[in-house]
Amino acid sequence: MIVKTLDAKNSILNKFIAEIRDVTIQKDSMRFRKNIERIGEILAYEISQSLVYENKVVTTPLGTKIVSIPKSDIVLCSILRAGLPLHNGLLNYFDDAENAFISAYRNHINETEFEIKVEYFASPNLDGKTLILADPMLATGQSIVSVYEGLKKHGTPKEIILACVIGSNEGIKLLEKQFPSSTKLWIATVDNKLNDKGYIVPGLGDAGDLAFGEKL
Ligand code: URA
C-alpha cells in the first residue's frame, strides 16, 4: 500500500487539523463539520493529482483551448454517520462522482472489546471504477475493512483509494494486510497510540458525536 501523509509539509491544512483536535474549538460543531469538510477538499485536491487525465477541447466565447481533465469514473463511499462531512468535502471537488453509503458501528461486547456491525448498504456497481473509500478516523481499521468486504459483491474497482483525516499506525498496518498492494492511502495526519477502547490518542475524541451530537 502506498501511504501519503499530508501534514509533514507546512500548509493551511495543519490549522484545520489543529482546530478539529482542540477541545475549546470543538464546542462549535458547525466549525468542526466545516473543518472536516475543508480537509476533505484538500484530500480531494491531492488525490486528483494521481488520477488518469485526458485532453478535452473547451470552447470559450473567443476560441478553443485543449485542457487536461480527470477521466476516472469515481465512486465515493463513506461510512455513516461520522463520514458525512468528509464525504461532502470530497464531493465538492469530485462533483460528478457516484456515491455509496454504508453504516458501520461498534457493537460493544464489554468495556474494551467490540465487533463491527455493518447494516445499511447502498452502493452502485464498482466494476472498472476508481473507488474512494473515506473514513475520517482510521483507528483499529476494522470498520473500513468490514465495509470493503461488503463492497466486494458490488464489483471489482480498477483502483482503490482510501481517504482519512486522523489515523493510527495500528490501523495503517491492518489496511496494509487487508487491501491490495496497489491501494493508495491519503491521510491528513497519523498518531501513534490507541487507548483500550480503540480511540486514537491524542486524536480528537468521537468524530460522529462532535459533528452531530452525542448518541444513546
Ligand atoms: N472513531 C472516532 O470518532 N474517534 C476515534 O478516535 C476512533 C474512532
Side-chain angles (χ1 to χ4, degrees), residues 82 106 137-140 194 198-201 203-209:
R106 292 175 171 187
M137 302 301 284
L138 170 59
T140 62
L194 289 181
Y199 274 79
I200 301 170
V201 180
L204 52 70
D206 189 300
D209 286 359

Side-chain angles (χ1 to χ4, degrees), residues 158-177:
K158 181 186 71 177
E159 61 176 339
I160 302 171
I161 294 173
L162 308 173
C164 301
V165 178
I166 303 183
S168 72
N169 289 318
E170 186 180 320
I172 293 175
K173 272 198 203 117
L174 184 72
L175 303 192
E176 274 168 343
K177 277 198 217 123

Side-chain angles (χ1 to χ4, degrees), residues 75 98 123-129 153-156:
V75 177
E98 293 180 278
S123 169
N125 184 282
L126 302 173
D127 282 331
K129 297 178 185 165
K153 60 179 179 297
H154 284 74
T156 309

Side-chain angles (χ1 to χ4, degrees), residues 79-81 102-110 112-121 135 137-150 170 174-175 194 197-199:
I79 306 174
L80 300 173
R81 73 190 160 142
I102 287 123
S103 77
Y105 65 92
R106 292 175 171 187
N107 185 36
H108 279 272
I109 300 153
N110 55 41
T112 55
E113 284 175 292
F114 59 84
E115 54 179 3
I116 303 294
K117 287 258 187 206
V118 174
E119 280 171 1
Y120 179 75
F121 214 103
D135 189 4
M137 302 301 284
L138 170 59
T140 62
Q142 289 172 42
S143 307
I144 205 161
V145 168
S146 306
V147 165
Y148 174 54
E149 286 306 314
E170 186 180 320
L174 184 72
L175 303 192
L194 289 181
K197 293 199 166 93
Y199 274 79

